[in-house]
């Protein structure tokens, strides 16, 4: 469970985050949606202790990320290319993740197979450094790196970016199956409303750093309200 309390972040005159109280339950697939500047990435960075809030706290299963490293063992995240080690091949990068997580190489090799469909024949076995991959394939490496240890919390910022339509559909299926298999909590931000509605059990709508709507999304029930809000 993630608890957000009195979370505030200001950049000059701009309010990037102002969330008095919000709870993300175990097993939620939460979609964060909002226009550019709504505060989605800022919220993720504070959750991951990459950005210090001006006020308030985020707790992951009772752990404040700013005060302990324990949350990292149960969390997988991909925000942007800065998370990658781009002078390694994808296989070397995943092996590195396995080593620092205490996973035997054989176990890591077996997990590669679970993500072959998402890799699409363009990530594994290419003998390319990550820096030389296309933007879409870097995105796939980042997403797989967040999932491969099977953490109980997964945070992905704009995961559908740079992916072609086929890969976007494979990613939706991958995340849905991952949630079913692991019962993990998954939080994604996305400008793609269709994909977000398709996979999320719950949707939080952000505006100017605040969560203005918390929508249940059973069988796509949030679609119309989001469509009305964004004027599509």
């Amino acid at each position: 469970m993630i608890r957000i309390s009195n979370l505030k972040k200001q950049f000059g005159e701009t309010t990037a985050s102002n969330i008095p109280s919000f709870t993300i339950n175990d097993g939620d697939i939460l979609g964060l949606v909002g226009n550019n500047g709504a505060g989605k990435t800022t919220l993720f960075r504070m959750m991951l202790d990459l950005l210090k809030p001006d006020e308030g706290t985020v707790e992951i299963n009772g752990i404040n990320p700013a005060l302990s490293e324990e949350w990292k063992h149960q969390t997988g995240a991909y925000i942007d290319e800065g998370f990658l080690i781009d002078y390694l091949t994808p296989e070397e990068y995943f092996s590195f993740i396995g080593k620092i997580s205490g996973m035997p190489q054989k176990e890591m090799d077996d997990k590669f197979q679970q993500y072959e469909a998402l890799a699409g024949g363009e990530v594994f076995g290419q003998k390319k450094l990550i820096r030389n991959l296309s933007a879409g394939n870097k995105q796939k490496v980042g997403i797989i790196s967040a999932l491969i240890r099977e953490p109980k919390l997964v945070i992905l910022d704009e995961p559908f970016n740079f992916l072609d339509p086929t890969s976007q559909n494979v990613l939706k299926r991958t995340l849905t199956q991952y949630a079913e298999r692991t019962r993990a909590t998954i939080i994604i931000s996305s400008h793609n409303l269709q994909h977000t509605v398709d996979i999320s059990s719950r949707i939080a709508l952000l505006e100017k750093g605040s969560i203005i709507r918390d929508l249940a999304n059973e069988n796509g029930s949030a679609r119309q309200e989001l469509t009305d809000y964004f004027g599509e």
Side-chain angles (χ1 to χ4, degrees):
M1 179 182 291
I2 299 173
R3 293 186 184 276
I4 297 172
S5 302
N6 193 36
L7 193 66
K8 296 182 180 180
K9 185 65 182 179
Q10 198 85 9
F11 295 109
E13 298 298 316
T14 301
T15 299
S17 186
N18 182 15
I19 304 174
S21 179
F22 192 67
T23 299
I24 303 169
N25 300 309
D26 291 343
D28 278 352
I29 304 178
L30 177 70
L32 294 181
V33 298
N35 290 315
N36 288 338
K40 302 183 295 296
T41 301
T42 297
L43 177 57
F44 280 165
R45 289 190 174 277
M46 288 190 288
M47 284 183 176
L48 296 169
D49 193 33
L50 299 173
L51 183 66
K52 183 178 180 180
D54 296 330
E55 295 181 34
T57 59
V58 176
E59 290 188 349
I60 299 174
N61 291 332
I63 300 169
N64 183 335
L67 301 178
S68 171
E69 300 285 310
E70 289 301 312
W71 61 278
K72 292 183 178 180
H73 303 303
Q74 57 195 1
T75 303
Y78 182 66
I79 305 296
D80 55 36
E81 287 185 28
F83 277 53
L84 303 175
I85 303 176
D86 67 359
Y87 57 82
L88 301 178
T89 66
E91 289 91 342
E92 289 171 340
Y93 179 51
F94 297 140
S95 293
F96 170 76
I97 291 172
K99 286 179 181 178
I100 63 175
S101 304
M103 292 178 61
Q105 185 62 47
K106 176 63 168 63
E107 183 178 349
M108 184 62 69
D109 291 342
D110 291 342
K111 289 187 180 297
F112 288 170
Q113 299 175 16
Q114 296 180 16
Y115 299 103
E116 282 286 2
L118 179 59
E122 299 176 324
V123 171
F124 299 124
Q126 300 303 299
K127 298 182 179 179
K128 286 185 178 181
L129 302 180
I130 292 172
R131 67 164 65 113
N132 296 326
L133 297 176
S134 68
N137 287 330
K138 288 177 183 176
Q139 188 82 342
K140 293 176 184 179
V141 171
I143 293 167
I144 293 170
S145 73
L147 299 175
I148 201 162
R149 294 183 298 113
E150 298 203 342
K152 288 299 184 180
L153 171 61
V154 176
I155 295 175
L156 300 172
D157 194 13
E158 297 289 350
F160 298 104
N161 276 4
F162 310 119
L163 301 184
D164 59 41
T166 296
S167 296
Q168 290 178 3
N169 286 328
V170 173
L171 176 57
K172 286 196 295 184
R173 186 164 62 249
T174 298
L175 293 176
T176 300
Q177 291 173 347
Y178 182 89
E180 291 173 350
R181 185 175 74 253
T182 66
R183 304 298 178 191
T185 303
I186 299 176
I187 312 173
I188 69 166
S189 75
S190 181
H191 286 111
N192 190 310
L193 290 184
Q194 178 178 333
H195 292 334
T196 305
V197 170
D198 284 347
I199 68 172
S200 299
S201 59
R202 181 182 174 196
I203 294 178
L205 175 58
L206 277 76
E207 183 179 285
K208 297 180 180 179
S210 298
I211 296 175
I212 61 170
R213 299 181 198 174
D214 179 9
L215 306 173
N217 187 45
E218 185 176 355
N219 298 319
S221 58
R223 190 183 307 275
Q224 188 58 54
E225 188 166 349
L226 293 173
T227 298
D228 292 343
Y229 175 84
F230 289 105
E232 293 189 353

